[in-house]
Amino acid sequence: MAEERPNEGGARRNTVGTIIVDTDHVLVESYMGVGFEWDPSDDYDYTEEQWAMIVERVAFTRVPLIRLMLRANAYTTGWDAEGEPIYDWNTPMMKRTYRILDYCERHDIRVIIGEWSRSPEIGLTASDDAAWAELIGDFLVHLLDVKGYTVLLYYNFINEPNGAWATEDGNRFALWRRGMLHVRRMMEERGLTERIGLIGPDSSNEDDWVDLTVYALGGIVSAYDVHRYVNDRDIVSGEMERMVREKRDFIDRHDPEGAAKPYLMTEAGIVEGKDEAHDQQSRVRTFEYGLLMADFAIQTMRGGQAGVIAWMLDDAMHRAPGYPAGSGQLKTWGFWNTVGDETDRGLRPWYDPMAMLSRYFPRGSRIVYASESGVPGVRAAAAVVPGTEGRGHLSLIAVNHGDEEQRIRLVVPDAAGRTELSVYEYRKDARSADDAGFPAPAFRIADANLAEGTEVRLPGRSVLLLTTLETGIDPEGVRFAESRNIARHRPVAVSSCQYANEQGGKCAVDGRRETAWVSKRRGGQWLTVDLQAAHWVKRIKLLWGEGYARVFDVAVSADGERWTTIRERTHGTGEPEQIWPERLDARYIRVNMAEAGTTLGFAIRELAVYGERTGSEDDGVRVIAVAEPETGIS
């Protein structure tokens, strides 16, 4: 049984970092989850005992999403004399596929299904062969109508089409695009477009394929995805988050329907230490791999991706390249090896953090902003699991790459009342497990006041996951205060706008992630919001767009003439600003931008103000008069 610990909220003087969870700053409205690659095995039909072990481990994760890939030769044996395909829907590979899909159907696990590449052994030698699209059509009709699967979410045409291992030499994007158009035409002819979506580009470590897909195929894809195999430094430095956010923003801006389309990481792994010749990653057996992969998942959430799929579930799924069938040489990327010796069959360390993420950041949760902690090497992500009548559950995961323990204060300003938190730890030399050997809470915080702040100790080189789910105290979770963003849709005045014929400063107060006010690129700039009455201002939030200010200040005024500066920055980095002023009454909020942090114009995605009215509407205070600017949107 987990140890109970009291709320340690009073020990402010020893706290070296603070993580603020802003439940009104939504990064992903409906999260699709943390999942894994679950493919039918190249070589093995699992015994009943082996299958029981696999599904027990999968069941603990409560995985909401998987990716499953095969090739057309799994269900097509060739062509008859009239040139018609010869299908065999009961090959060993298809039977293995049904076993996985049957489990997903019973447990409501969404599936991204697709094909690795063309199949030259049955005559498919070109990725843009229209005949391949017809095979895919028959394959999808068989799964949807004959087998009756309802969990197939997206079809993935060609794994990593940017790679020489997947498509022919030449303009690989043009080749893949032609193939995608054939698949789309086939889906339209068969009435499949409303039953399963197309996802792409599925490129590996070439995110510019996202840009190409937006321009060339944005009208036919239902979701965007990429693969990333990174070095340790890409994770520890936070570079992963930047890369993800950049493409999420690009999709939002350039696909007219982009803001409604999920962006996913459909293969996630670490390349450092990989045996390139045999595609094996021995580091999956180490504690360190789990620490890094937890942060990988954190950064995909912080960057706005709607889901992440770890590569991969089980070594036994894939034979290592360069070895013959039956050699027993496997890719070694999994959480375990079903067909290995006793040691290899055991759960590897990285199962623990990934299982916890899958279990406690469920499908349908809302990924919300968790601030920088102020401590190097500490990073966090948070989710709200929506409930009813203003209630919901909260999960937060934090990673510490440093060697020293850190005391971190967790603050959720919109949380009301007290709650209990279950706390899971991922540490090298300490593991809490239940009787079945699965991760269990290390301790519980029995009386957490999240609005005032709850202090937690984050050990060196560790992952901490805190959740109100399954605590046993309140099944409906935390009560959250209703959003009181009093700046939303209020009048805005700006010094200039970069783009003409659009909405200008209104984009900074419209509450939409994909819009922003963007200034012209010369000189200092400002943006002012008029709350239209005096208010007791309790919190101000400033979210930058692509162009942030390195030097800026935030000022307030009651009359639009006399201003009081409440925040100054001389080394801004573009991170969201959260300001909790002491007792402050104001009507106007202004951001003065003196020096840009990029070569772009200044951009404000949202200026939010939280508080309560103390004065009457237009209570005798003059309106700031400004010249009508050119107006725009980014």
Side-chain angles (χ1 to χ4, degrees), residues 31-49:
Y31 195 52
M32 297 173 70
V34 175
F36 41 73
E37 186 85 12
W38 192 2
D39 298 323
S41 175
D42 295 336
D43 297 326
Y44 298 102
D45 290 312
Y46 299 122
T47 67
E48 291 303 317
E49 182 181 11

Side-chain angles (χ1 to χ4, degrees), residues 406-421:
Q406 302 294 342
R407 299 173 70 89
I408 303 294
R409 189 172 184 78
L410 171 61
V411 182
V412 187
D414 293 331
R418 295 178 178 271
T419 191
E420 182 179 50
L421 294 163

